[in-house]
Amino acid sequence: MFKILKRNFGYIFILFLAIVPLIMWYFMSPLGVRFSSQSTAFRSLGQATGLLGMSLLSLNFILAARFKFMDRAFSGLNIVYIKHSLIGAVSFCLLLFHPIFLVVQYFLISLKSSLLFLFSFSDWSINYGEIALLVFILLMAITFYFHFKYQNWKNTHKFLGIVLLLGSLHMFLVTSDISNNDVLKYYMLVLAILGGVSYFYRTIFGIYKKNEYQYKLESVVRVNDDVVELRLLPFSRKIKYKAGQFVFVRFNPTTQSGNGVLAESHPFSVTSHPDDKYLILTIKTLGDYTSMVYLLKPGAVCSIEGPFGAFSYKNSASMKQVWVAGGIGVTPFLSMARQINFDKMSKDYQIDLFYCIKNKDEAVYWEEFSEISIQNPNFKFHQFYSDTEGRVSAEYILKNLSDSLGIEIFLCGPAGFMQSLRNQFVKLGFNNSKIYSEEFSLSI
């Protein structure tokens, strides 16, 4: 139970902060009064959805700011971004229903009253909220229905700051429970300010650059037709990370030595081990950014932000572990395997790595994994080819283990691949809290 609470502490804490305004609202007036008629009931629902929606919206900017303390609170920045997407969708729905409930309230009085509420543009305290919602709807439509390149998608999200600004103006200027209760007013003000500061911190001022490490590209190694390895050396400070973590990388456009490479920050798993003199990133050319990394030349300068994530064999309570990699999801396992092979203190870990790919042509680093398994009898390497063996299953994995008692499971690969295996392991009786996954899905 404690382990589950620890893994979900950040999520629980964010939800608690979001619900506090509703608790204050609840004690301001008896529910019997608030829901004494259909009209007052819809007004109350409109107030409640507006309060909770604005709370979640403000807090969501904090989640998006890539703060290190959030990485720790959520046990990984990848989890932070997953919750960020979920909370963003919930806040959008709540803020969408906020005016709908209020329109129904006025419609129950008369059609004229509802139309005046919607289309009377003389009251700017209301206009700010309407404009904020329209911008929010437009941005959400772009997110869900238009398949932009990553950079264009990211730029559209910068306009969410307008939604927070206009929504906050509406919230504090309109006559409501917030204007009638100083404690509630100042609480919502603090949330809005924290959200605004987080927005400017990440989007406008770029203060986060102070925490970045400067690296120089030493070499570009083509692993196969689809995978490239970047070897980086630090200028001065060397980043400290755990095997299995990831970093954000941004190349300096004035020193790229390769035209067309996007000077934007993107996440990549580190494949070197922490004591390696190089910082090694292994990248599969999937999207707009990664397809151009071949253009980079030695000497290009980049900024490294991180490390992030809690996907590490050292974070497990058990020394008996099963690692399951799907495709390029093998990268964090490569870092961990190298660390185990390098670090004498890690030699007692009993690892079974299942590397799941279509065929041998897609395999990367299989020779190195095989060599590690020869050097370390506690490290067993299994290759699984879906072209000849079908889909890998939890039953297949367990059948190929010498002992499954007390194991903990690490999954990394496509989202569907991980979710399917997680469900299968749970059905076979494994505790969900002992199954770890690197669920970082970002179009790159």
Side-chain angles (χ1 to χ4, degrees):
M1 183 65 180
F2 175 77
K3 192 172 182 180
I4 294 174
L5 289 174
K6 183 180 178 182
R7 290 179 68 178
N8 292 281
F9 171 77
Y11 194 45
I12 294 169
F13 185 62
I14 288 293
L15 288 181
F16 171 76
L17 292 178
I19 292 171
V20 166
L22 278 184
I23 297 173
M24 295 183 192
W25 175 83
Y26 171 82
F27 285 106
M28 285 178 65
S29 180
L31 290 182
V33 175
R34 291 190 184 278
F35 292 86
S36 59
S37 66
Q38 283 188 326
S39 178
T40 57
F42 279 106
R43 181 178 63 198
S44 297
L45 289 173
Q47 292 171 342
T49 52
L51 273 175
L52 186 56
M54 281 302 298
S55 298
L56 290 174
L57 179 65
S58 300
L59 291 166
N60 218 26
F61 280 90
I62 301 174
L63 295 181
R66 214 182 291 165
F67 291 121
K68 279 289 187 72
F69 71 87
M70 282 294 175
D71 181 46
R72 293 189 293 269
F74 281 84
S75 299
L77 190 68
N78 53 319
I79 306 299
V80 175
Y81 279 160
I82 291 169
K83 303 304 182 187
H84 165 72
S85 298
L86 175 61
I87 290 174
V90 172
S91 68
F92 172 69
C93 291
L94 288 168
L95 293 175
L96 187 62
F97 275 101
H98 166 64
I100 291 175
F101 284 134
L102 295 180
V103 167
V104 173
Q105 172 211 346
Y106 284 104
F107 180 77
L108 291 172
I109 298 171
S110 70
L111 176 60
K112 182 179 179 181
S113 296
S114 62
L115 291 175
L116 286 174
F117 173 75
L118 276 176
F119 301 109
S120 177
F121 302 110
S122 58
D123 189 345
W124 274 98
S125 66
I126 295 177
N127 293 346
Y128 287 133
E130 292 177 340
I131 296 171
L133 185 59
L134 288 174
V135 174
F136 207 174
I137 292 171
L138 177 62
L139 293 175
M140 290 300 101
I142 290 172
T143 298
F144 292 115
Y145 297 107
F146 294 89
H147 299 288
F148 281 135
K149 291 182 178 180
Y150 170 74
Q151 178 53 32
N152 293 333
W153 171 85
K154 188 175 178 180
N155 285 335
T156 60
H157 271 56
K158 291 180 179 180
F159 290 100
L160 282 171
I162 296 174
V163 177
L164 179 63
L165 173 62
L166 295 177
S168 298
L169 287 173
H170 164 70
M171 179 170 60
F172 295 117
L173 293 177
V174 74
T175 302
S176 66
D177 284 332
I178 292 177
S179 62
N180 295 325
N181 186 305
D182 287 341
V183 177
L184 180 58
K185 181 195 302 181
Y186 289 121
Y187 183 87
M188 295 301 295
L189 179 62
V190 169
L191 288 187
I193 290 174
L194 289 175
V197 169
S198 299
Y199 170 77
F200 282 104
Y201 176 88
R202 175 54 52 181
T203 308
I204 305 298
F205 294 134
I207 301 173
Y208 62 93
K209 292 181 182 178
K210 292 180 181 179
N211 298 321
E212 290 183 342
Y213 300 81
Q214 298 301 309
Y215 273 73
K216 179 179 71 174
L217 181 62
E218 182 74 8
S219 62
V220 180
V221 179
R222 193 182 280 263
V223 180
N224 63 22
D225 291 340
D226 300 317
V227 179
V228 64
E229 181 181 279
L230 304 182
R231 291 175 174 257
L232 305 162
L233 284 173
F235 278 104
S236 55
R237 289 192 307 150
K238 183 180 179 181
I239 189 171
K240 295 180 180 180
Y241 59 92
K242 290 182 180 179
Q245 290 189 298
F246 63 91
V247 296
F248 281 81
V249 182
R250 188 181 72 256
F251 279 92
N252 187 331
T254 62
T255 63
Q256 284 176 7
S257 303
N259 295 328
V261 179
L262 299 176
E264 284 296 323
S265 182
H266 289 256
F268 297 110
S269 291
V270 179
T271 50
S272 52
H273 64 80
D275 296 299
D276 198 326
K277 74 170 185 175
Y278 293 105
L279 179 69
I280 303 175
L281 309 176
T282 302
I283 302 168
K284 187 169 185 178
T285 54
L286 293 170
D288 303 314
Y289 181 95
T290 54
S291 63
M292 291 187 283
V293 295
Y294 291 118
L295 300 175
L296 288 168
K297 302 290 178 60
V301 176
C302 66
S303 297
I304 305 290
E305 184 188 0
F308 296 104
F311 192 74
S312 172
Y313 71 98
K314 289 190 174 182
N315 291 334
S316 169
S318 175
M319 297 184 77
K320 292 174 62 178
Q321 299 175 12
V322 172
W323 301 350
V324 188
I328 199 61
V330 77
T331 51
F333 295 125
L334 177 59
S335 177
M336 291 193 279
R338 286 171 169 172
Q339 177 67 11
I340 285 176
N341 201 42
F342 177 84
D343 182 11
K344 292 181 180 179
M345 300 295 290
S346 298
K347 291 291 186 180
D348 291 334
Y349 278 87
Q350 298 177 43
I351 307 297
D352 281 84
L353 169 62
F354 290 82
Y355 186 14
C356 309
I357 42 179
K358 286 184 178 180
N359 49 59
K360 195 168 184 177
D361 292 337
E362 281 199 356
V364 290
Y365 301 108
W366 66 270
E367 301 99 331
E368 185 172 353
F369 285 123
S370 298
E371 183 62 29
I372 292 173
S373 68
I374 293 171
Q375 296 174 9
N376 183 355
N378 286 334
F379 184 90
K380 296 179 175 62
F381 178 50
H382 312 262
Q383 291 189 76
F384 183 92
Y385 302 128
S386 61
D387 279 353
T388 56
E389 301 179 76
R391 289 189 175 185
V392 70
S393 67
E395 288 186 357
Y396 171 89
I397 292 169
L398 295 177
K399 284 180 182 178
N400 283 274
L401 298 178
S402 58
D403 179 16
S404 62
L405 186 65
I407 64 170
E408 295 201 356
I409 301 162
F410 288 73
L411 307 172
C412 189
F417 168 87
M418 292 188 292
Q419 190 58 53
S420 174
L421 284 174
R422 179 183 287 274
N423 292 340
Q424 291 176 49
F425 279 116
V426 170
K427 285 182 179 179
L428 291 173
F430 283 86
N431 191 323
N432 192 46
S433 66
K434 294 185 178 181
I435 304 173
Y436 306 87
S437 56
E438 183 71 303
E439 301 174 53
F440 204 103
S441 56
L442 194 63
S443 301
I444 53 175

